[in-house]
Amino acid sequence: MDAFFASVEQASKPSLRGKAVVVGGLGPRGVVATASYEARIFGVHSAMPMAQARRRAPNAAYLVPRFALYRSVSEQVMGLLRALSPLVEPLSLDEAFVDLEAGGTAWDERSARLAGAKLRADIRAVTGLTGSVGLAASKMLAKIASEQAKPDGLVLIEPGTERALLGPLPVRTLPGVGPATGDHLRRAGIHTVGELAEAGEDELVRLLGKAHGHALFAMALARDERPVVAERETKSVSVEDTYDVDIHDRVRVGTEVRRLADRCVRRLREAGLSGRTIVLKVRRYDFSTLTRSETLRGPTDDPAVVREAAARLLDSVDTTGGVRLLGVGVSGLADYTQEDLFAQAAGVPADDLPREEAEAVPAPEPETPAERRWPAGHDVRHAVYGHGWVQGSGLGRVTARFETPGSEPGRVRTFRVDDPALQPAQPLPLVSRGPGEDEGAETGGGMRTESR
């Protein structure tokens, strides 16, 4: 998918279409998650410090991510991919490999190109967004093709042309060549994939070690036998927050851990899962990272159990000096729960309460309007003006623009942060349709595609 998070925001907010949009953490330590192509013109890119992005594109819209909406759109796209083949390997919310041969969807270059074109049309019809498709005989080449296709394009690497295409590309193009390996190869005088192949396998093994040297030499010769692996089973569910200012107050740290535990449980339940092992992650002021875990008697999705386990783990961690990141996760996943685990929480026997009440005790304290957070880009609803989104907040005021995915650009209004008429809201779905009947194309199987 093309600039996925930013594209979803533009589709959701008519006033931002065609404008520079940057999505990520907005605090002093925030980084860019995704930048729209309009923002990239100014040199903004993912993983860039947000402060640097603001200097380069001061007039862009800076928004906090809405992951629930992104996951919803991603599921629509992944559903289209699974219609092509049972072998779909998601790499992230916006990227996946598909083995078209396994689905009988393409058997030669022509049928593969038709399948890719239909996929792009279906993605646009269902989500209103654009995706770029790379088609090739291997995962490595399909990924390279999809990068060349961006934005909103399709590239097919024809069999027999792989070596010629790879030769002039920088070594960083190949999977597994990061900054450190790239610098090591550069010092050895190897800058392109062609020079990597010319260096020979023995030299690469000498420079990089046996496993890495063998693998890179094979890739330099366009050899990649890695299969497309169907969606892997989720190993864990976790959430974490990085704080703009180190937290020194131990009570505040405990409050944040409880809040993260509740968020983690919500994700567990959304996925229909439970887990046995509770994990706490703490990154301290000096960037040292500590991980603590506790394994329960059986799987649970009870917020009280997860909160108390995380609190016990926190007791074993020294937070003197400050904390810059906290995370709570659950692993050892299962699709069932062990009811009597509630007895571990707050000393309440499970048999004393029905399940519905047990899940709600102890409930987190509700926010008062003055405590409510108004993240930029997140959804609101006003009793008079309807649905909108937060443009910004501060000094006791929150500014919102009232518009929906299917409306014209809306009006901007400012309210007190404690105005009872203004409430946080859930994202509205993007305006979408089913794939058009006239967009069908002759399809069949035989190549791999990577859509991202």
Side-chain angles (χ1 to χ4, degrees):
M1 300 299 291
D2 298 323
F4 182 52
F5 296 173
S7 294
V8 171
E9 296 297 344
Q10 288 174 319
S12 178
K13 300 173 171 66
S15 59
L16 296 184
R17 292 170 191 167
K19 297 182 179 179
V21 174
V22 180
V23 180
L26 302 189
R29 293 171 176 164
V31 297
V32 175
T34 309
S36 70
Y37 285 96
E38 296 86 353
R40 296 181 192 188
I41 293 172
F42 299 98
V44 179
H45 57 78
S46 60
M48 171 182 284
M50 192 62 75
Q52 184 178 354
R54 287 184 183 276
R55 289 194 295 271
R56 294 191 177 190
N59 296 321
Y62 288 86
L63 309 176
V64 175
R66 296 186 294 165
F67 287 109
L69 179 58
Y70 306 153
R71 281 193 292 270
S72 174
V73 178
S74 174
E75 288 167 4
Q76 291 180 296
V77 175
M78 296 299 171
L80 294 173
L81 301 185
R82 293 186 188 98
L84 294 176
S85 171
L87 289 184
V88 177
E89 182 179 343
L91 303 182
S92 60
L93 289 176
D94 64 340
E95 183 177 9
F97 290 112
V98 185
D99 190 327
L100 297 180
E101 182 177 23
T105 306
W107 55 89
D108 59 13
E109 295 165 38
R110 178 178 177 275
S111 57
R113 193 181 292 276
L114 288 172
K118 183 177 185 302
L119 172 62
R120 290 180 58 232
D122 287 349
I123 289 173
R124 185 185 289 273
V126 170
T127 69
L129 306 177
T130 63
S132 296
V133 173
L135 295 148
S138 71
K139 289 167 68 172
M140 176 188 74
L141 293 167
K143 184 172 179 65
I144 290 171
S146 76
E147 293 292 342
Q148 294 184 340
K150 284 186 166 297
D152 191 20
L154 181 150
V155 168
L156 183 146
I157 298 178
E158 298 180 3
T161 67
E162 295 94 344
R163 290 284 301 277
L165 178 137
L166 285 176
L169 298 179
V171 292
R172 289 286 303 276
T173 304
L174 298 181
V177 181
T181 301
D183 288 345
H184 194 52
L185 291 170
R186 179 177 50 79
R187 288 193 294 271
I190 300 173
H191 301 87
T192 67
V193 177
E195 291 170 346
L196 202 63
E198 291 172 5
E201 188 169 16
D202 291 343
E203 176 64 9
L204 295 181
V205 167
R206 186 186 69 80
L207 287 171
L208 305 172
K210 187 173 182 180
H212 205 182
H214 283 311
L216 282 189
F217 182 68
M219 290 182 183
L221 299 181
R223 299 174 188 162
D224 179 17
E225 302 301 324
R226 296 174 300 159
V228 175
V229 180
E231 187 168 4
R232 296 178 177 87
E233 183 180 353
T234 303
K235 301 295 185 184
S236 64
V237 173
S238 63
V239 296
E240 62 181 43
D241 276 345
T242 300
Y243 301 99
D244 297 340
V245 178
D246 291 348
I247 302 175
H248 293 82
D249 181 8
R250 183 76 177 187
V251 174
R252 167 83 189 284
V253 173
T255 299
E256 290 296 316
V257 166
R258 288 192 297 274
R259 184 177 62 82
L260 290 166
D262 288 339
R263 282 174 52 195
C264 185
V265 169
R266 283 198 295 271
R267 287 196 182 180
L268 270 180
R269 290 180 170 180
E270 287 171 2
L273 296 170
S274 60
R276 296 183 65 229
T277 301
I278 314 303
V279 181
L280 175 72
K281 178 180 177 182
V282 180
R283 180 166 298 148
R284 299 188 291 190
Y285 70 99
D286 58 358
F287 287 89
S288 62
T289 302
L290 304 177
T291 303
R292 300 287 186 268
S293 64
E294 175 182 321
T295 299
L296 307 173
R297 295 194 305 272
T300 185
D301 66 350
D302 192 305
V305 173
V306 177
R307 278 197 299 268
E308 289 209 352
R312 287 193 296 272
L313 295 170
L314 180 61
D315 288 341
S316 67
V317 177
D318 179 10
T319 59
T320 304
V323 170
R324 61 184 291 118
L325 177 147
L326 290 168
V328 174
V330 177
S331 60
L333 301 181
D335 56 3
Y336 65 96
T337 61
Q338 185 167 311
E339 301 291 338
D340 68 358
L341 280 172
F342 183 73
Q344 296 183 13
V348 179
D351 294 340
D352 289 353
L353 293 170
R355 180 62 178 170
E356 291 77 10
E357 293 181 44
E359 289 177 346
V361 180
E365 291 295 322
E367 289 180 326
T368 65
E371 294 171 338
R372 209 174 276 144
R373 297 181 180 184
W374 301 103
H378 280 223
D379 299 81
V380 294
R381 178 166 291 279
H382 190 272
V384 175
Y385 303 112
H387 193 92
W389 56 278
V390 176
Q391 280 204 329
S393 63
L395 301 177
R397 295 286 187 269
V398 56
T399 298
R401 183 183 289 272
F402 293 95
E403 59 187 7
T404 65
S407 74
E408 295 296 319
R411 296 284 300 275
V412 175
R413 297 185 182 275
T414 299
F415 310 89
R416 297 192 317 272
V417 294
D418 59 353
D419 190 329
L422 188 70
Q423 299 289 329
Q426 294 298 314
L428 297 177
L430 304 185
V431 177
S432 61
R433 304 170 298 283
E437 293 181 1
D438 60 344
E439 294 168 355
E442 181 182 348
T443 57
M447 300 185 78
R448 293 189 177 96
T449 178
E450 198 244 6
S451 171
R452 75 185 295 259

